[in-house]
Amino acid sequence: QVIERLRRIASAPEARGLLDDVAVLDGLVVTHDTIVEGVHFFPFDPPASVGWKLAAVNLSDIAAKGAKPAGALLSLTILGGGDWEMEFLNGLEAACESYRLPLIGGDTVGLPEHAPRVLVLTIIARASGDIPSRANAQPGDNLWLVGTVGDAAAGLAQLRDDSRASGPLVEVYRRPVPQLAAGEALAPVAHAMM
């Protein structure tokens, strides 16, 4: 019911019916993702990997539209003395540098003791042509899959079994790689992308 209510409110065509991972506003692609401690990352995950992951999940949405990142807004919640957040920012900064994503603003807010961390990033990107939606696949289309399927799920399973697990699958779970170049190459010929 909540999602249906949101769809009624977000009735502008730019919202794409809330059926896509992005909004499209005057040729700009906008995505907004939240990650929550205990839901999207473990409390014991290294803070730098959480920073990387927040950028990567947003950049993946941009990649699925063949767009290039133009800027990001960060909503950073601060809990305690700020040591965790400083490490988190190291990971976020590494991702921003790796993918040429400038941080252009955002907001900070303090959390009460024992609250889970809630971190939010919005990315604005530029598209050079048509922006494929998730919903325009056509009969006879080829299905292309970029990247390796299942590695992150295997890393997550390892961490659920042992919080000290390490190795390549754990790294894929903690530091996903957005497929920006593949997205740019495929967007001009794709009917649908996600």
Side-chain angles (χ1 to χ4, degrees), residues 86-145:
M86 293 299 282
E87 287 298 316
F88 164 86
L89 290 172
N90 287 341
L92 179 72
E93 183 176 26
C96 287
E97 287 175 358
S98 295
Y99 297 103
R100 296 186 176 122
L101 173 63
L103 184 63
I104 58 173
D107 192 21
T108 56
V109 62
L111 288 175
E113 191 176 342
H114 305 298
R117 288 183 167 88
V118 178
L119 304 152
V120 183
L121 193 71
T122 300
I123 294 182
I124 303 158
R126 290 187 180 89
S128 58
D130 288 337
I131 301 164
S133 76
R134 298 180 87 170
N136 291 335
Q138 299 174 10
D141 280 352
N142 290 320
L143 177 62
W144 287 49
L145 198 53

Side-chain angles (χ1 to χ4, degrees), residues 7-60:
R7 284 196 176 119
R8 287 195 306 271
I9 295 169
S11 60
E14 293 83 359
R16 294 184 152 197
L18 300 183
L19 297 172
D20 210 338
D21 292 324
V22 303
V24 178
L25 180 64
D26 294 332
L28 296 174
V29 177
V30 182
T31 188
H32 179 85
D33 277 313
T34 303
I35 62 174
V36 179
E37 184 177 30
V39 178
H40 303 100
F41 65 94
F42 293 107
F44 56 78
D45 279 339
S49 71
V50 177
W52 178 280
K53 183 183 246 182
L54 180 60
V57 297
N58 276 276
L59 287 163
S60 291

